[in-house]
Amino acid sequence: AAETTRGPLCILAGAGTGKTTTITRRIAWQVASGAFLADQIVAVTFTDRAAGELRARLCALGVDGVRASTFHSAALSLLRHFQGDPGRILASKAPLLRRIGNGLPGAYRFRPAGDLATEIEWARNRRLTPDTYRRGLGDHEPPIPADLMQRVFREYERRKSAEGLLDFEDLLERTVQLLEADDRARAIVHERWRAFTVDEYQ
């Protein structure tokens, strides 16, 4: 796997089996073999801690210049480059969802805000909106009845917009929209970054 410098490659293994070691050595070999320049490679992962681990391991292998960051940080960087500062970013959905959840009927009022946040993230990562949410559920079971969850989702989006806030899913969605709609931005990204590594693919 580490010597496969080009083309799609999936490393599927359990915890502690050496996935991160393999992908960082693969990146190092992509550079050392001349397949790609370091600044043509992007490595993304889900948490700041994991991104820091990628950077530290690449540094230990003598590789400098690879962009190793979270998905959201990479998206924010692209938005700032092409569109300027996107605005205030919501650090957590929980406070806003707690206030919305307090208005739910009966026992649903006590549903943890984390469950509601996870559901909104599930929907947004599938590019669902409050209007398309129920049609997009399929076999998925929401944490509260679908009509109530749709109401929470709609109110969350409304309040977020009214307060001029963005969440992490907005960063991803706006970046996707940018690359779908702006031919120039897409061409620059295609030219700039030639190899991608995704850690923590789930």
Side-chain angles (χ1 to χ4, degrees), residues 64-196:
D64 293 315
V66 171
R67 177 177 179 96
S69 68
T70 65
F71 295 95
H72 304 104
S73 176
L76 180 58
S77 177
L78 284 172
L79 289 175
R80 283 179 172 157
H81 179 78
F82 290 109
Q83 298 181 337
D85 190 354
R88 290 190 302 143
I89 299 168
L90 194 62
S92 168
K93 295 177 180 66
L96 190 54
L97 285 169
R98 206 168 286 121
R99 294 198 299 271
I100 295 168
N102 286 343
L104 289 173
Y108 301 121
R109 186 175 301 138
F110 304 105
R111 193 73 196 199
D115 290 351
L116 303 177
T118 297
E119 183 66 9
I120 288 173
E121 289 161 9
W122 176 90
R124 292 292 308 281
N125 287 333
R126 284 153 184 80
R127 302 188 78 184
L128 298 175
T129 66
D131 289 336
T132 62
Y133 170 73
R134 289 176 71 180
R135 289 195 306 274
L137 280 173
D139 294 333
H140 176 75
E141 285 287 330
I144 59 177
D147 60 327
L148 290 180
M149 189 63 229
Q150 183 180 37
R151 194 168 95 191
V152 169
F153 189 5
R154 191 181 307 282
E155 182 61 12
Y156 169 77
E157 292 296 330
R158 189 195 69 75
R159 292 193 191 190
K160 186 168 51 109
S161 178
E163 295 180 29
L165 297 169
L166 300 171
D167 62 19
F168 291 140
E169 287 68 44
D170 289 320
L171 296 180
L172 298 180
E173 178 63 28
R174 287 192 180 193
T175 304
V176 170
Q177 289 173 353
L178 166 72
L179 295 175
E180 286 176 340
D182 188 329
D183 293 341
R184 176 181 161 273
R186 189 167 60 253
I188 289 170
V189 169
H190 281 173
E191 182 61 30
R192 174 83 169 80
W193 291 321
R194 311 307 295 270
F196 290 83

